Amino acid sequence: MQDKISQIKKEYLEKIGKASSLKELDSLFLALFGKKGEIALLPKEFPKLSDTERRKIGPAFNAVKQELEKAIEKKREEVREESYKALENEKLTLQGVPLEARKGHLHLATQFKKEIIDLFNKLGFYQFDAPHVEWDKYNFEYLNIPKDHPSRDMWDTLYVDTSRLEVEPGQMLLRTHTSNFWPRLMEKGKAPIRAMSFDRCFRYEAIDARHSHTFNQFEVAVVGEKITMANLKFLSDYLLKAILGKEAKSRFRPKYYPFVEPGVGIDCLCVFCHGRGCKICSGTGWFEIAGAGMIHPNVFKSTDLDPKKYTGLAWGFGPDRMLMIKHEIEDIRYFLEGDLKFLQEY
Ligand code: PHE
C-alpha cells in the first residue's frame, strides 16, 4: 500500500508539473479525486490492512492527498499568471484609426464662403445678411415684381403658413435669392452702399444635377454716385480670376431681371469641354454663373434714395455652381448630402 501511495505521488507530481493548461489540471484533479479517482478509491482498501499498517498508512495517505491537492492549486495559479502575461504581451493586430485622420473640417461651401468674403472685404464690402424667411415685399415687390406679375413665375418658392398669425396669406416665404438684402439696406435711405451677402436661398425647383431646392448665393450691391456697368465688369473679372485663375473666360449676355435695367447674365467658359458643349453645360459650352445689372429706378422708388443722384449695381452668383466648375463636381446634390466620401475629399 505504501508503495502504491508513493507511486501515485510520484506519477502525479510529474504530470502536474508538466501540465500547461487549466483544462489539463482539471482532468488530473478528476483522475485523482473524482468518484473513481486513484486517491478517492484508496481508502476502500484500508479495511484489508492490519491495525498497525493502517495507523501508519492513514497519516501518509492524508499527507500525499494534501500535497497533491496543493500542487494542483499551485499549478493552477501559475497557469493563470502565465496566461495573463501572454495577454499583456500580445500585439494588437487591429490598428486603431489615428485621431488626426478623423478630425473634422469645414464644409467645402463654408471654406469657399470664407475665401470669397475675404476677397471682397479687401475691396471694402461689408456683410449684410437678410432673413431667410422673408416678407413678400423684400423678396418681390420692392424689387419691381408686383403681385400677380408674370415675372414671378421665374421664382417659385415655398410659402409659410401664416394662418395663426395676423398676416395675410402668402406674405411670408422662403426667400428665392439674396437680392432681398439690398431693398432692406436701401430703405434705410443712406448711400453710398457697398455690401455683400453670402447665404442660403430656396426655390420650388425640379431637382436635377444642376438645380436644388436649397442653394447658396453670393450677391453684392453697390449704390453711389457714378456707379456704372464698368464697375460691374471689374467686379466679375476680379472674382472669376481669383477663383478660376487668370485664364478664366466670362461673357456678358443681355438678360431680363425685373429689378435691373440693363440686366445681364454672366457666363463662364465650361471647364469640362472648354466650350465644345457637353452634358454638364447642356451642350452650350458655357456655364451661367451669375445674374447682374444696374438697379432699376423702380427699386429706388420704394426708398428715400434719389435715382437721379444715385445709381447702383447688383450682382448675384451661384457659389455652388462655381465650386462645381472649379472642382469638376458633376452634381449639385452632393452639397446637401452627408456623403463622407465627398466631404472628406475637400
Ligand atoms: N436675384 C437673381 C437670381 O436669383 C440674380 C440677380 C442678382 C440678378 C442681382 C441681377 C442682379 O436669379
Side-chain angles (χ1 to χ4, degrees):
M1 179 64 82
Q2 182 63 54
D3 290 350
K4 198 167 181 191
I5 293 176
S6 305
Q7 169 63 29
I8 292 175
K9 178 181 158 182
K10 188 169 170 259
E11 183 189 334
Y12 277 87
L13 281 180
E14 213 177 291
K15 282 186 179 167
I16 293 167
K18 283 187 191 152
S20 60
S21 72
L22 291 176
K23 214 172 156 191
E24 268 178 80
L25 289 167
D26 284 347
S27 54
L28 285 177
F29 184 87
L30 271 183
L32 286 170
F33 308 107
K35 246 189 190 168
K36 288 183 182 161
E38 303 216 37
I39 292 283
L41 288 178
L42 272 183
K44 288 200 176 138
E45 290 175 34
F46 288 175
K48 291 182 205 157
L49 303 173
S50 66
D51 278 358
T52 38
E53 264 181 331
R54 218 181 296 152
R55 247 179 254 123
K56 262 168 77 194
I57 289 298
F61 169 79
N62 280 335
V64 168
K65 189 180 163 196
Q66 276 176 18
E67 195 179 342
L68 287 171
E69 269 173 355
K70 272 192 191 147
I72 290 184
E73 202 36 56
K74 197 168 158 237
K75 188 71 186 181
R76 273 202 177 115
E77 281 301 311
E78 278 172 30
V79 170
R80 275 194 203 110
E81 274 297 306
E82 287 291 312
S83 64
Y84 291 150
K85 267 193 208 142
L87 260 187
E88 271 171 24
N89 293 336
E90 195 171 298
K91 282 227 170 79
L92 288 180
T93 48
L94 183 63
Q95 289 286 316
V97 181
L99 271 183
E100 199 54 29
R102 298 185 60 176
K103 213 164 78 180
H105 61 78
L106 290 179
H107 190 281
L108 174 63
T110 314
Q111 294 173 33
F112 196 48
K113 178 174 179 174
K114 285 185 81 179
E115 193 183 326
I116 292 183
I117 299 276
D118 283 353
L119 211 59
F120 279 78
N121 264 333
K122 282 188 200 147
L123 295 187
F125 283 79
Y126 71 93
Q127 235 174 307
F128 183 86
D129 289 326
H132 295 185
V133 180
E134 183 58 292
W135 298 110
D136 178 283
K137 58 182 184 182
Y138 293 115
N139 196 78
F140 290 130
E141 270 185 71
Y142 289 177
L143 287 169
N144 196 30
I145 311 172
K147 283 214 169 62
D148 305 318
H149 193 277
S151 64
R152 285 210 174 200
D153 293 350
M154 292 165 71
W155 296 277
D156 198 3
T157 186
L158 297 156
Y159 288 82
V160 177
D161 176 6
T162 51
S163 52
R164 298 221 205 149
L165 308 169
E166 280 175 19
V167 171
E168 239 182 274
Q171 287 306 295
M172 207 188 257
L173 45 85
L174 298 190
R175 63 150 179 212
T176 58
H177 43 198
T178 37
S179 305
N180 64 329
F181 95 81
W182 31 285
R184 273 183 174 271
L185 256 185
M186 287 167 76
E187 79 173 352
K188 294 182 195 290
K190 281 192 198 140
I193 293 172
R194 192 185 282 195
M196 62 176 156
S197 178
F198 189 127
D199 219 332
R200 282 195 165 184
C201 304
F202 312 87
R203 285 190 199 171
Y204 184 70
E205 283 277 7
I207 310 253
D208 62 26
R210 287 206 293 158
H211 300 89
S212 171
H213 49 72
T214 304
F215 56 97
N216 286 307
Q217 274 197 349
F218 172 64
E219 186 145 345
V220 301
V222 183
V223 177
E225 293 177 42
K226 300 191 188 106
I227 300 295
T228 70
M229 288 286 273
N231 301 113
L232 192 56
K233 180 79 179 133
F234 168 81
L235 291 175
S236 287
D237 286 351
Y238 173 70
L239 177 71
L240 272 182
K241 292 196 189 308
I243 290 165
L244 296 179
K246 282 199 187 103
E247 57 294 338
K249 273 200 183 138
S250 71
R251 69 176 186 191
F252 275 26
R253 199 167 24 82
K255 191 168 178 194
Y256 169 70
Y257 292 102
F259 33 87
V260 285
E261 179 59 38
V264 291
I266 304 175
D267 297 342
C268 138
L269 195 69
C270 176
V271 288
F272 294 97
C273 64
H274 304 286
R276 264 175 273 121
C278 67
K279 196 178 97 209
I280 317 290
C281 59
S282 312
T284 60
W286 294 86
F287 250 116
E288 179 172 352
I289 50 150
M294 301 305 292
I295 296 175
H296 198 288
N298 283 352
V299 176
F300 278 87
K301 275 188 195 154
S302 51
T303 75
D304 286 338
L305 295 171
D306 179 4
K308 290 204 183 84
K309 185 172 177 201
Y310 296 114
T311 51
L313 65 83
W315 170 69
F317 97 101
D320 300 342
R321 282 245 175 116
M322 192 70 136
L323 282 171
M324 290 170 75
I325 298 171
K326 188 175 172 186
H327 297 290
E328 307 195 2
I329 297 166
E330 296 204 359
D331 200 315
I332 197 167
R333 284 167 284 199
Y334 279 123
F335 287 96
L336 291 179
E337 287 167 358
D339 185 333
L340 272 184
K341 262 198 209 145
F342 175 77
L343 297 177
Q344 283 166 351
E345 195 171 332
Y346 304 102

